[in-house]
mmCIF file of all heavy atoms in Angstrom:
data_model
loop_
_atom_site.group_PDB
_atom_site.id
_atom_site.type_symbol
_atom_site.label_atom_id
_atom_site.label_comp_id
_atom_site.label_asym_id
_atom_site.label_seq_id
_atom_site.Cartn_x
_atom_site.Cartn_y
_atom_site.Cartn_z
ATOM 1 N N PHE A 1 67.922 109.844 112.256
ATOM 2 C CA PHE A 1 69.084 110.377 112.971
ATOM 3 C C PHE A 1 68.714 111.662 113.707
ATOM 4 O O PHE A 1 69.073 111.854 114.882
ATOM 5 C CB PHE A 1 70.215 110.629 111.963
ATOM 6 C CG PHE A 1 71.573 110.666 112.577
ATOM 7 C CD1 PHE A 1 72.239 109.500 112.899
ATOM 8 C CD2 PHE A 1 72.193 111.880 112.830
ATOM 9 C CE1 PHE A 1 73.498 109.538 113.460
ATOM 10 C CE2 PHE A 1 73.450 111.929 113.401
ATOM 11 C CZ PHE A 1 74.108 110.756 113.712
ATOM 12 N N GLU A 2 67.975 112.542 113.047
ATOM 13 C CA GLU A 2 67.527 113.800 113.660
ATOM 14 C C GLU A 2 66.589 113.536 114.835
ATOM 15 O O GLU A 2 66.675 114.204 115.871
ATOM 16 C CB GLU A 2 66.799 114.669 112.626
ATOM 17 C CG GLU A 2 67.699 115.315 111.616
ATOM 18 C CD GLU A 2 68.395 116.539 112.182
ATOM 19 O OE1 GLU A 2 67.821 117.221 113.045
ATOM 20 O OE2 GLU A 2 69.526 116.790 111.758
ATOM 21 N N ARG A 3 65.720 112.548 114.684
ATOM 22 C CA ARG A 3 64.784 112.220 115.757
ATOM 23 C C ARG A 3 65.527 111.731 116.994
ATOM 24 O O ARG A 3 65.238 112.158 118.116
ATOM 25 C CB ARG A 3 63.793 111.163 115.277
ATOM 26 C CG ARG A 3 62.635 110.916 116.234
ATOM 27 C CD ARG A 3 61.621 109.943 115.656
ATOM 28 N NE ARG A 3 62.179 108.650 115.322
ATOM 29 C CZ ARG A 3 62.469 107.695 116.218
ATOM 30 N NH1 ARG A 3 62.280 107.888 117.487
ATOM 31 N NH2 ARG A 3 62.947 106.531 115.819
ATOM 32 N N ARG A 4 66.508 110.866 116.806
ATOM 33 C CA ARG A 4 67.292 110.373 117.944
ATOM 34 C C ARG A 4 68.116 111.489 118.586
ATOM 35 O O ARG A 4 68.230 111.566 119.802
ATOM 36 C CB ARG A 4 68.199 109.222 117.508
ATOM 37 C CG ARG A 4 67.426 107.919 117.428
ATOM 38 C CD ARG A 4 68.357 106.751 117.322
ATOM 39 N NE ARG A 4 68.475 106.420 115.906
ATOM 40 C CZ ARG A 4 69.548 105.941 115.326
ATOM 41 N NH1 ARG A 4 70.643 105.731 116.003
ATOM 42 N NH2 ARG A 4 69.549 105.672 114.038
ATOM 43 N N ALA A 5 68.682 112.349 117.766
ATOM 44 C CA ALA A 5 69.455 113.478 118.302
ATOM 45 C C ALA A 5 68.554 114.426 119.081
ATOM 46 O O ALA A 5 68.926 114.917 120.156
ATOM 47 C CB ALA A 5 70.164 114.220 117.171
ATOM 48 N N GLY A 6 67.353 114.666 118.581
ATOM 49 C CA GLY A 6 66.404 115.524 119.284
ATOM 50 C C GLY A 6 65.966 114.924 120.609
ATOM 51 O O GLY A 6 65.832 115.631 121.619
ATOM 52 N N ARG A 7 65.759 113.611 120.630
ATOM 53 C CA ARG A 7 65.394 112.939 121.871
ATOM 54 C C ARG A 7 66.536 113.038 122.886
ATOM 55 O O ARG A 7 66.312 113.293 124.070
ATOM 56 C CB ARG A 7 65.068 111.474 121.600
ATOM 57 C CG ARG A 7 64.464 110.798 122.812
ATOM 58 C CD ARG A 7 64.047 109.350 122.590
ATOM 59 N NE ARG A 7 63.647 109.039 121.247
ATOM 60 C CZ ARG A 7 64.107 107.982 120.556
ATOM 61 N NH1 ARG A 7 64.984 107.171 121.074
ATOM 62 N NH2 ARG A 7 63.670 107.745 119.342
ATOM 63 N N GLN A 8 67.766 112.882 122.399
ATOM 64 C CA GLN A 8 68.931 112.996 123.279
ATOM 65 C C GLN A 8 69.037 114.414 123.847
ATOM 66 O O GLN A 8 69.285 114.595 125.041
ATOM 67 C CB GLN A 8 70.190 112.638 122.502
ATOM 68 C CG GLN A 8 71.428 112.548 123.350
ATOM 69 C CD GLN A 8 72.635 112.089 122.544
ATOM 70 O OE1 GLN A 8 72.565 111.884 121.326
ATOM 71 N NE2 GLN A 8 73.744 111.922 123.222
ATOM 72 N N GLN A 9 68.825 115.404 123.022
ATOM 73 C CA GLN A 9 68.835 116.789 123.501
ATOM 74 C C GLN A 9 67.710 117.030 124.505
ATOM 75 O O GLN A 9 67.901 117.728 125.508
ATOM 76 C CB GLN A 9 68.686 117.765 122.339
ATOM 77 C CG GLN A 9 69.954 118.017 121.591
ATOM 78 C CD GLN A 9 69.741 119.045 120.495
ATOM 79 O OE1 GLN A 9 68.723 119.024 119.792
ATOM 80 N NE2 GLN A 9 70.695 119.943 120.341
ATOM 81 N N GLY A 10 66.551 116.473 124.255
ATOM 82 C CA GLY A 10 65.421 116.621 125.165
ATOM 83 C C GLY A 10 65.710 116.044 126.549
ATOM 84 O O GLY A 10 65.404 116.659 127.573
ATOM 85 N N TRP A 11 66.304 114.852 126.590
ATOM 86 C CA TRP A 11 66.692 114.268 127.871
ATOM 87 C C TRP A 11 67.724 115.147 128.569
ATOM 88 O O TRP A 11 67.677 115.330 129.792
ATOM 89 C CB TRP A 11 67.249 112.859 127.684
ATOM 90 C CG TRP A 11 66.179 111.812 127.648
ATOM 91 C CD1 TRP A 11 65.658 111.206 126.546
ATOM 92 C CD2 TRP A 11 65.484 111.276 128.776
ATOM 93 N NE1 TRP A 11 64.682 110.320 126.916
ATOM 94 C CE2 TRP A 11 64.559 110.338 128.289
ATOM 95 C CE3 TRP A 11 65.557 111.499 130.133
ATOM 96 C CZ2 TRP A 11 63.720 109.621 129.118
ATOM 97 C CZ3 TRP A 11 64.711 110.775 130.973
ATOM 98 C CH2 TRP A 11 63.805 109.854 130.456
ATOM 99 N N GLY A 12 68.651 115.697 127.804
ATOM 100 C CA GLY A 12 69.656 116.573 128.387
ATOM 101 C C GLY A 12 69.029 117.813 129.009
ATOM 102 O O GLY A 12 69.364 118.193 130.138
ATOM 103 N N VAL A 13 68.103 118.428 128.305
ATOM 104 C CA VAL A 13 67.425 119.612 128.832
ATOM 105 C C VAL A 13 66.624 119.245 130.078
ATOM 106 O O VAL A 13 66.633 119.971 131.083
ATOM 107 C CB VAL A 13 66.520 120.256 127.757
ATOM 108 C CG1 VAL A 13 65.583 121.272 128.359
ATOM 109 C CG2 VAL A 13 67.366 120.879 126.674
ATOM 110 N N GLY A 14 65.936 118.111 130.040
ATOM 111 C CA GLY A 14 65.155 117.678 131.198
ATOM 112 C C GLY A 14 66.015 117.470 132.435
ATOM 113 O O GLY A 14 65.661 117.902 133.538
ATOM 114 N N LEU A 15 67.146 116.811 132.268
ATOM 115 C CA LEU A 15 68.040 116.598 133.403
ATOM 116 C C LEU A 15 68.640 117.903 133.911
ATOM 117 O O LEU A 15 68.821 118.083 135.123
ATOM 118 C CB LEU A 15 69.146 115.612 133.027
ATOM 119 C CG LEU A 15 68.705 114.150 132.928
ATOM 120 C CD1 LEU A 15 69.829 113.286 132.379
ATOM 121 C CD2 LEU A 15 68.256 113.635 134.285
ATOM 122 N N MET A 16 68.940 118.829 132.999
ATOM 123 C CA MET A 16 69.461 120.121 133.445
ATOM 124 C C MET A 16 68.390 120.918 134.192
ATOM 125 O O MET A 16 68.709 121.647 135.137
ATOM 126 C CB MET A 16 70.025 120.907 132.263
ATOM 127 C CG MET A 16 71.367 120.360 131.786
ATOM 128 S SD MET A 16 72.219 121.402 130.611
ATOM 129 C CE MET A 16 71.210 121.235 129.166
ATOM 130 N N VAL A 17 67.137 120.778 133.811
ATOM 131 C CA VAL A 17 66.048 121.449 134.537
ATOM 132 C C VAL A 17 65.948 120.882 135.955
ATOM 133 O O VAL A 17 65.771 121.630 136.923
ATOM 134 C CB VAL A 17 64.708 121.310 133.777
ATOM 135 C CG1 VAL A 17 63.519 121.673 134.644
ATOM 136 C CG2 VAL A 17 64.735 122.159 132.523
ATOM 137 N N VAL A 18 66.086 119.555 136.092
ATOM 138 C CA VAL A 18 66.084 118.937 137.421
ATOM 139 C C VAL A 18 67.237 119.486 138.256
ATOM 140 O O VAL A 18 67.068 119.840 139.428
ATOM 141 C CB VAL A 18 66.167 117.395 137.309
ATOM 142 C CG1 VAL A 18 66.464 116.756 138.660
ATOM 143 C CG2 VAL A 18 64.891 116.839 136.719
ATOM 144 N N ALA A 19 68.422 119.579 137.660
ATOM 145 C CA ALA A 19 69.593 120.098 138.382
ATOM 146 C C ALA A 19 69.386 121.553 138.789
ATOM 147 O O ALA A 19 69.716 121.939 139.919
ATOM 148 C CB ALA A 19 70.842 119.958 137.520
ATOM 149 N N VAL A 20 68.832 122.360 137.904
ATOM 150 C CA VAL A 20 68.582 123.768 138.231
ATOM 151 C C VAL A 20 67.574 123.866 139.384
ATOM 152 O O VAL A 20 67.743 124.693 140.298
ATOM 153 C CB VAL A 20 68.082 124.544 136.991
ATOM 154 C CG1 VAL A 20 67.469 125.874 137.366
ATOM 155 C CG2 VAL A 20 69.223 124.736 136.019
ATOM 156 N N ALA A 21 66.550 123.031 139.370
ATOM 157 C CA ALA A 21 65.567 123.039 140.461
ATOM 158 C C ALA A 21 66.232 122.696 141.793
ATOM 159 O O ALA A 21 65.965 123.334 142.818
ATOM 160 C CB ALA A 21 64.428 122.074 140.160
ATOM 161 N N LEU A 22 67.109 121.701 141.775
ATOM 162 C CA LEU A 22 67.812 121.337 143.006
ATOM 163 C C LEU A 22 68.743 122.453 143.471
ATOM 164 O O LEU A 22 68.828 122.743 144.671
ATOM 165 C CB LEU A 22 68.593 120.038 142.805
ATOM 166 C CG LEU A 22 67.753 118.763 142.744
ATOM 167 C CD1 LEU A 22 68.597 117.582 142.294
ATOM 168 C CD2 LEU A 22 67.105 118.482 144.079
ATOM 169 N N PHE A 23 69.446 123.094 142.549
ATOM 170 C CA PHE A 23 70.323 124.207 142.930
ATOM 171 C C PHE A 23 69.514 125.396 143.462
ATOM 172 O O PHE A 23 69.945 126.082 144.395
ATOM 173 C CB PHE A 23 71.204 124.642 141.754
ATOM 174 C CG PHE A 23 72.403 123.769 141.548
ATOM 175 C CD1 PHE A 23 72.640 123.172 140.322
ATOM 176 C CD2 PHE A 23 73.319 123.543 142.567
ATOM 177 C CE1 PHE A 23 73.748 122.366 140.119
ATOM 178 C CE2 PHE A 23 74.428 122.738 142.381
ATOM 179 C CZ PHE A 23 74.643 122.150 141.157
ATOM 180 N N LEU A 24 68.344 125.663 142.875
ATOM 181 C CA LEU A 24 67.486 126.736 143.388
ATOM 182 C C LEU A 24 66.982 126.417 144.796
ATOM 183 O O LEU A 24 66.911 127.292 145.653
ATOM 184 C CB LEU A 24 66.314 126.985 142.439
ATOM 185 C CG LEU A 24 66.662 127.681 141.131
ATOM 186 C CD1 LEU A 24 65.446 127.719 140.210
ATOM 187 C CD2 LEU A 24 67.185 129.077 141.380
ATOM 188 N N TRP A 25 66.630 125.159 145.012
ATOM 189 C CA TRP A 25 66.195 124.742 146.335
ATOM 190 C C TRP A 25 67.335 124.918 147.346
ATOM 191 O O TRP A 25 67.122 125.419 148.454
ATOM 192 C CB TRP A 25 65.707 123.303 146.289
ATOM 193 C CG TRP A 25 65.167 122.774 147.595
ATOM 194 C CD1 TRP A 25 64.516 123.477 148.571
ATOM 195 C CD2 TRP A 25 65.230 121.429 148.049
ATOM 196 N NE1 TRP A 25 64.167 122.637 149.603
ATOM 197 C CE2 TRP A 25 64.589 121.377 149.312
ATOM 198 C CE3 TRP A 25 65.733 120.260 147.505
ATOM 199 C CZ2 TRP A 25 64.466 120.191 150.033
ATOM 200 C CZ3 TRP A 25 65.606 119.089 148.232
ATOM 201 C CH2 TRP A 25 64.982 119.063 149.483
ATOM 202 N N LEU A 26 68.531 124.535 146.958
ATOM 203 C CA LEU A 26 69.697 124.716 147.822
ATOM 204 C C LEU A 26 69.911 126.202 148.120
ATOM 205 O O LEU A 26 70.165 126.583 149.266
ATOM 206 C CB LEU A 26 70.944 124.118 147.178
ATOM 207 C CG LEU A 26 72.255 124.309 147.935
ATOM 208 C CD1 LEU A 26 72.194 123.631 149.296
ATOM 209 C CD2 LEU A 26 73.419 123.769 147.118
ATOM 210 N N GLY A 27 69.806 127.038 147.111
ATOM 211 C CA GLY A 27 69.946 128.474 147.322
ATOM 212 C C GLY A 27 68.887 129.003 148.273
ATOM 213 O O GLY A 27 69.177 129.833 149.145
ATOM 214 N N TYR A 28 67.667 128.535 148.132
ATOM 215 C CA TYR A 28 66.594 128.944 149.039
ATOM 216 C C TYR A 28 66.924 128.543 150.477
ATOM 217 O O TYR A 28 66.780 129.332 151.405
ATOM 218 C CB TYR A 28 65.269 128.306 148.587
ATOM 219 C CG TYR A 28 64.144 128.518 149.559
ATOM 220 C CD1 TYR A 28 63.473 129.721 149.617
ATOM 221 C CD2 TYR A 28 63.759 127.497 150.438
ATOM 222 C CE1 TYR A 28 62.437 129.922 150.520
ATOM 223 C CE2 TYR A 28 62.737 127.693 151.338
ATOM 224 C CZ TYR A 28 62.076 128.901 151.380
ATOM 225 O OH TYR A 28 61.066 129.099 152.278
ATOM 226 N N LEU A 29 67.378 127.294 150.659
ATOM 227 C CA LEU A 29 67.702 126.819 152.004
ATOM 228 C C LEU A 29 68.869 127.578 152.617
ATOM 229 O O LEU A 29 68.921 127.779 153.828
ATOM 230 C CB LEU A 29 68.016 125.319 151.970
ATOM 231 C CG LEU A 29 66.851 124.389 151.660
ATOM 232 C CD1 LEU A 29 67.342 122.955 151.529
ATOM 233 C CD2 LEU A 29 65.762 124.491 152.702
ATOM 234 N N LEU A 30 69.805 128.011 151.795
ATOM 235 C CA LEU A 30 70.991 128.702 152.305
ATOM 236 C C LEU A 30 70.790 130.200 152.511
ATOM 237 O O LEU A 30 71.393 130.788 153.397
ATOM 238 C CB LEU A 30 72.168 128.494 151.348
ATOM 239 C CG LEU A 30 72.847 127.136 151.386
ATOM 240 C CD1 LEU A 30 73.869 127.040 150.259
ATOM 241 C CD2 LEU A 30 73.503 126.888 152.724
ATOM 242 N N LEU A 31 69.961 130.842 151.699
ATOM 243 C CA LEU A 31 69.920 132.295 151.660
ATOM 244 C C LEU A 31 68.681 132.956 152.261
ATOM 245 O O LEU A 31 68.689 134.163 152.492
ATOM 246 C CB LEU A 31 70.069 132.764 150.206
ATOM 247 C CG LEU A 31 71.340 132.301 149.496
ATOM 248 C CD1 LEU A 31 71.279 132.665 148.030
ATOM 249 C CD2 LEU A 31 72.566 132.886 150.160
ATOM 250 N N ILE A 32 67.629 132.205 152.495
ATOM 251 C CA ILE A 32 66.372 132.798 152.945
ATOM 252 C C ILE A 32 66.186 132.569 154.453
ATOM 253 O O ILE A 32 66.279 131.433 154.919
ATOM 254 C CB ILE A 32 65.174 132.188 152.176
ATOM 255 C CG1 ILE A 32 65.361 132.354 150.669
ATOM 256 C CG2 ILE A 32 63.860 132.793 152.656
ATOM 257 C CD1 ILE A 32 65.428 133.786 150.205
ATOM 258 N N PRO A 33 65.910 133.633 155.221
ATOM 259 C CA PRO A 33 65.614 133.458 156.649
ATOM 260 C C PRO A 33 64.332 132.642 156.826
ATOM 261 O O PRO A 33 63.469 132.615 155.949
ATOM 262 C CB PRO A 33 65.413 134.877 157.161
ATOM 263 C CG PRO A 33 65.851 135.778 156.094
ATOM 264 C CD PRO A 33 65.894 135.023 154.819
ATOM 265 N N PHE A 34 64.185 132.006 157.987
ATOM 266 C CA PHE A 34 63.043 131.128 158.197
ATOM 267 C C PHE A 34 62.606 131.178 159.659
ATOM 268 O O PHE A 34 63.288 131.748 160.509
ATOM 269 C CB PHE A 34 63.373 129.698 157.764
ATOM 270 C CG PHE A 34 64.531 129.091 158.490
ATOM 271 C CD1 PHE A 34 64.329 128.221 159.539
ATOM 272 C CD2 PHE A 34 65.848 129.388 158.118
ATOM 273 C CE1 PHE A 34 65.397 127.659 160.211
ATOM 274 C CE2 PHE A 34 66.915 128.817 158.780
ATOM 275 C CZ PHE A 34 66.688 127.962 159.836
ATOM 276 N N THR A 35 61.477 130.551 159.927
ATOM 277 C CA THR A 35 60.920 130.501 161.278
ATOM 278 C C THR A 35 60.834 129.054 161.729
ATOM 279 O O THR A 35 60.424 128.180 160.965
ATOM 280 C CB THR A 35 59.506 131.111 161.290
ATOM 281 O OG1 THR A 35 59.584 132.434 160.782
ATOM 282 C CG2 THR A 35 58.925 131.136 162.685
ATOM 283 N N VAL A 36 61.220 128.814 162.976
ATOM 284 C CA VAL A 36 61.118 127.479 163.569
ATOM 285 C C VAL A 36 60.018 127.522 164.614
ATOM 286 O O VAL A 36 60.013 128.399 165.481
ATOM 287 C CB VAL A 36 62.457 127.065 164.216
ATOM 288 C CG1 VAL A 36 62.301 125.741 164.940
ATOM 289 C CG2 VAL A 36 63.545 126.982 163.183
ATOM 290 N N HIS A 37 59.086 126.602 164.521
ATOM 291 C CA HIS A 37 57.994 126.499 165.493
ATOM 292 C C HIS A 37 58.389 125.456 166.534
ATOM 293 O O HIS A 37 58.674 124.316 166.199
ATOM 294 C CB HIS A 37 56.689 126.095 164.814
ATOM 295 C CG HIS A 37 56.275 127.047 163.749
ATOM 296 N ND1 HIS A 37 55.701 128.258 164.031
ATOM 297 C CD2 HIS A 37 56.364 126.979 162.394
ATOM 298 C CE1 HIS A 37 55.440 128.898 162.911
ATOM 299 N NE2 HIS A 37 55.835 128.137 161.894
ATOM 300 N N HIS A 38 58.405 125.868 167.799
ATOM 301 C CA HIS A 38 58.751 124.951 168.877
ATOM 302 C C HIS A 38 57.707 125.123 169.975
ATOM 303 O O HIS A 38 57.652 126.162 170.623
ATOM 304 C CB HIS A 38 60.164 125.254 169.395
ATOM 305 C CG HIS A 38 60.625 124.310 170.443
ATOM 306 N ND1 HIS A 38 60.902 123.001 170.163
ATOM 307 C CD2 HIS A 38 60.841 124.480 171.769
ATOM 308 C CE1 HIS A 38 61.294 122.399 171.271
ATOM 309 N NE2 HIS A 38 61.260 123.277 172.260
#
């Protein structure tokens, strides 16, 4: 039971890390000035 609960928590943490990475990327795209090469 503990092993299954730990695996479930691990998947939850992994998915939250993915979400945090996407939110950080969004913040970077919205808040950081950039250069366009034309």
